[in-house]
Structure formats: structure tokens, C-alpha cells
Amino acid sequence: MKVKITSDSTCDLSPELIEKYDIAITPLSVHCGDKVGRDGVEITPEIIYDYVDASGQLPRTSAVNVFDYVREFRHWRQQGYSIVHFCISSDFSSSYQNACIAAADIGQVYVVDSRNLSTGQGLLVLHGAELAAAGQTAEEIQKACTDLAPQVEASFVIDRLDYLYKGGRCSALSAFGGNLLKLKPCIEVKDGKMTPGKKYRGPIDKVMQQYADDRLRGRDDINKHRVFITHTRCAPEAVEAVRQKILELAPDFEEIIETNAGSTVTSHCGPGTLGVLFIRTK
């Protein structure tokens, strides 16, 4: 049976990658006050920035519901596909639980808890698409990607603390002190949860260089198939400098892919956030 790879919208893959690998996206909902829309369709990061600037509040996201999952899975099953669906970490959202409920109702749907978000999830989605192209079954792809999930290394360095403060992820005192000291925190995804990492100090373009250096220098455990640079409204020259740093430290990456982060990272971290994401070999 032919296999269809699908994902919720938090994978942050570009339209070009989605088209190249023939991936179907099921969007979460984003609530900006009274305005509710589909992630990446009616609600974009620019709309989120405008909403936060105007209201002082963060938007909130809601999981794909069971009804929408049933409709999506049934569509592909009726076309003769078995399905592998990838979800944001089950510790972040009920999307995984809802997808599993719908999968049990439809049949021949295999759900992967990515234990990640953004292109940390996207790395698994693309791996699943490559396995499908190689002829593996949906069940084999689900197992392979579930087994690989703990080896995804995802992190972001953050320019501004106000989004973290508005979201309740740091105190007012910490945000105030951090802004005075020009601290730029690193957030890492570990065991399916977001955890604080190293704190950097200085201008964000310099911090991004040090962050990329810390992630890659001296490593012998990196799968060199692909690496993502995923960011929110970062200056093109800053992103290019990170690309050059990657080329300096790990010139044998087969692909260095730049993507814009979607609503989840934008809502939690704000503009000026950048991550270097890849898969470890162990």
C-alpha cells in the first residue's frame, strides 16, 4: 500500500519542502484575541507580532481536534494510502492524543510523537518521507521515526525576554535584569519538553555566532545529512553569518536549510529567535 506522510503545522517546513516531499499539513488553530485562524493559513507570524504589539498579550494555540483529524485521515485513506502522521511533542499539545483517537477510528494510520517542535519535528517528517520513497511500510516508518526522535537536537537562542515573560516562562525581575544585562537565553528541547540552557550576553548577531559554535564545535556525533537554521524575523546577514559558521565547523553537511519558524515558536519566543537543529548519530 502506498504511504502518505502528514504532519501538523508545527513542523515549520517551508512550502518548497512540503511540495518537494509531498507532505500534507494539518494546521493547529491560533487565537489572537477574538480572531481565530489556521496556523500558517489565516494566522502568520507577522499577524502575531502585530497582535502582541497592539494588545500586549500573547496569542494561544489550540490542538488539531479529533473531527479535523478524522476528516484528514479519511481523505487520504479513500485515495488508497496508509498514513504516517507526525505531531508536536505530546508534552506541548493534545494534538498527538487527538490524532491517535482519530487513527483508531479510521485504521491504517500510524501516529508519531515527535517529542519535539518546529524543525526538530520537521527533521523526522523529512526522514519519514525519505523512508516512504524508499518503499518502507507505514508501520516500519512509524517505528523508525519514533526510535530516532530522541536523537533530534533542537534548541533556539532568544533575543528578547518579553515574550517569555508574557508567557509566564520567566519572572518580571528576571526579564528586567536580563534586559539590563543584555542576556540572551538558549532554550533546548529535551525529553519532549522545553528547558533552559546556556545564557549568552551581548548583541544578538554575536550571540548567534557563539551559540552555533557551541552547538557544533568538536562534535563527532552529528548526522551530517541535513541541518536546519530556523528563525523568527532575523536579519538576513545574521542568518548568513550562522550559515557560514556551520560551513566552517561542519562543512560536510549535505544540506543546510533555512526556514522561518511558525506560530508556535513565534508565540513563545518572539522575533529575533534562531535555532540550529539536526539529528545526532547516537
Side-chain angles (χ1 to χ4, degrees), residues 2-180:
K2 55 186 180 178
V3 177
K4 184 68 181 181
I5 301 297
T6 72
S7 175
D8 67 36
S9 56
T10 57
C11 64
D12 288 353
L13 296 176
S14 66
E16 293 79 14
L17 288 171
I18 290 167
E19 180 180 2
K20 177 179 178 180
Y21 289 92
D22 193 26
I23 297 160
I25 299 297
T26 307
L28 277 70
S29 295
V30 184
H31 304 250
C32 294
D34 295 332
K35 180 179 177 62
V36 182
R38 292 171 293 170
D39 178 22
V41 183
E42 292 92 10
I43 302 292
T44 64
E46 292 303 318
I47 290 174
I48 290 173
Y49 299 137
D50 291 345
Y51 171 73
V52 175
D53 289 345
S55 69
Q57 304 295 315
L58 293 185
R60 62 182 180 87
T61 58
S62 58
V64 182
N65 61 48
V66 174
F67 174 82
D68 286 341
Y69 269 135
V70 167
R71 181 174 57 189
E72 178 77 4
F73 295 159
R74 181 176 290 131
H75 168 76
W76 295 113
R77 289 289 294 120
Q78 288 174 343
Q79 297 190 42
Y81 288 95
S82 58
I83 301 161
V84 183
H85 180 74
F86 292 80
C87 290
I88 186 175
S89 173
S90 56
D91 283 297
F92 295 146
S93 170
S94 60
S95 284
Y96 173 73
Q97 179 183 5
N98 292 347
C100 288
I101 293 170
D105 183 48
I106 298 297
Q108 289 294 315
V109 180
Y110 299 84
V111 184
V112 177
D113 180 353
S114 74
R115 308 302 294 150
N116 225 293
L117 80 170
S118 188
T119 47
Q121 176 180 338
L123 284 161
L124 293 178
V125 175
L126 295 188
H127 183 66
E130 289 169 339
L131 294 179
Q136 291 203 19
T137 67
E139 188 173 11
E140 289 170 338
I141 295 168
Q142 179 200 41
K143 183 181 187 309
C145 291
T146 299
D147 291 346
L148 187 62
Q151 293 167 224
V152 174
E153 186 163 316
S155 61
F156 294 88
V157 68
I158 298 171
D159 183 29
R160 290 168 47 172
L161 297 179
D162 55 329
Y163 276 62
L164 293 177
Y165 168 62
K166 293 176 191 297
R169 292 173 178 83
C170 72
S171 69
L173 183 60
S174 294
F176 178 68
N179 285 331
L180 284 179

